[in-house]
Amino acid sequence: MTGPVTSNDVLRKLRAALAPHGVFLRGVVNFSDGETAPLLMDGQAAKSVVLLGNIGGSLWPAFQRWRDGLSDRGGENPLDHWSKVVIEPVAQAFGASAYFPSDPPWQPFQQWAMRAEGLKASPLGILIHPRYGLWHGYRGALGFAQTLPEATNQIDPHPCDHCPEKPCLSICPAQAVLSSGFEITPCRSHLKTREGQAGCMTGGCLARNACPVGVEYRYPAEQLYFHMAALNL
Ligand code: B12
């Protein structure tokens, strides 16, 4: 990147740099002095964090193209690998520190998203977006030493509060989705059965699929299978 980037145009330039990869700027969290904020590469606390992620199947074509060109298909955790390949150079160009949801110690991506986008958790544990439903995720975040303008702050009501049927709670064949939270052990056991292989593994998590919000953003079949395979360890 040539010349200094001011706070005002950093978000616009970030959007432009990430759009070809199907990665979107999801929101900005600004931290006040004394608040817990992630550390930048120089050890100082970040003033702002910009959340980056996919909306529906937005990243799938770029991810698949990258993967198809590699003899190892991207290695053991190809989507996490790809996210770094895409986001790290952008972080460098903008003088930002990159954080990834898959890297321990886990950064509180969901808490950041709740602040930046006003989202709340669905019974599945996944944050539900009023427009995209359960069909979105976070691929990384960038920490900045300066305070950035806040990008989005959803104020729409929480969709689950207005969902009388709550099909996600009753449809899970493993009873893994409870009003108290999501239980991974029965989910994984079920995925190993013949019924689980033919159902959730092939067509995606039945509870996630049953959510009536954002159905038009549902991931493509291949992506659904990819995420289920990652869960079925
Ligand atoms: C550990 C983890 C899991 C564990 C959960 C173990 C547990 N019970 O905590 C397992 C392996 C089960 C899991 C599964 C999935 N996960 Co997960 N997971 C994470 C991870 C890496 C860390 C979560 C964490 O502990 N953070 C640390 C604390 C400090 O952060 P936090 O924001 O304060 O904590 C929030 C979460 O812990 C959340 N939470 C609590 N219990 C559970 C249970 C589940 C299943 C989830 C998803 C969240 C969740 O509540 C907190 C809100 O403050 C995050 C990435 C990240 N860095 O956040 C992804 C993340 C939460 N997972 C995500 C997703 C999409 C999934 C899956 C759908 C993926 C899949 N392969 O299908 C499944 C969900 C299964 C389902 N219900 O359908 C997304 C959620 C996106 C969103 N829209 O909210 C994240 C943010 C990763 C990403 N790249 O976007 N996950």
Side-chain angles (χ1 to χ4, degrees):
M1 179 160 306
T2 51
V5 180
T6 66
S7 297
N8 280 338
D9 62 13
V10 71
L11 299 185
R12 185 176 53 80
K13 289 188 170 168
L14 265 179
R15 283 193 180 95
L18 292 160
H21 308 285
V23 174
F24 290 91
L25 195 156
R26 299 291 309 275
V28 177
V29 185
N30 284 323
F31 299 95
S32 32
D33 290 343
E35 233 189 321
T36 306
L39 297 183
L40 300 169
M41 279 170 311
D42 64 5
Q44 300 294 308
K47 286 269 189 224
S48 281
V49 159
V50 177
L51 274 175
L52 309 174
N54 62 292
I55 294 172
S58 62
L59 58 71
W60 199 248
F63 170 62
Q64 285 293 71
R65 270 196 307 277
W66 169 80
R67 224 181 156 197
D68 288 346
L70 300 171
S71 55
D72 69 351
R73 310 262 312 133
E76 211 180 315
N77 296 300
L79 190 54
D80 297 334
H81 182 181
W82 175 83
S83 302
K84 290 179 183 175
V85 167
V86 167
I87 293 171
E88 272 168 354
V90 175
Q92 228 170 18
F94 284 80
S97 301
Y99 313 103
F100 295 95
S102 53
D103 281 358
W106 289 319
Q107 297 288 354
F109 270 79
Q110 291 191 302
Q111 274 179 39
W112 291 344
M114 287 174 177
R115 271 177 74 165
E117 300 178 279
L119 304 186
K120 290 190 185 161
S122 66
L124 279 88
I126 312 170
L127 301 181
I128 187 161
H129 188 282
R131 185 184 301 166
Y132 319 131
L134 301 173
W135 306 109
H136 66 105
Y138 301 93
R139 295 316 329 159
L142 298 176
F144 287 86
Q146 77 260 39
T147 300
L148 296 173
E150 297 202 357
T152 48
N153 204 345
Q154 294 277 346
I155 42 157
D156 306 43
H158 179 44
C160 304
D161 289 344
H162 304 273
C163 179
E165 305 288 333
K166 297 205 189 344
C168 60
L169 287 177
S170 54
I171 206 166
C172 173
Q175 279 94 49
V177 185
L178 308 170
S179 46
S180 53
F182 173 72
E183 301 276 348
I184 185 64
T185 309
C187 170
R188 281 192 170 136
S189 304
H190 176 75
L191 291 179
K192 292 187 183 9
T193 66
R194 190 181 298 184
E195 188 198 344
Q197 288 289 316
C200 304
M201 269 310 286
T202 310
C205 166
L206 294 185
R208 200 176 185 182
N209 285 346
C211 177
V213 184
V215 283
E216 62 275 34
Y217 291 93
R218 188 163 180 250
Y219 292 164
E222 242 188 304
Q223 187 174 355
L224 285 174
Y225 180 77
F226 175 90
H227 290 301
M228 291 313 295
L231 200 57
N232 183 27
L233 299 173

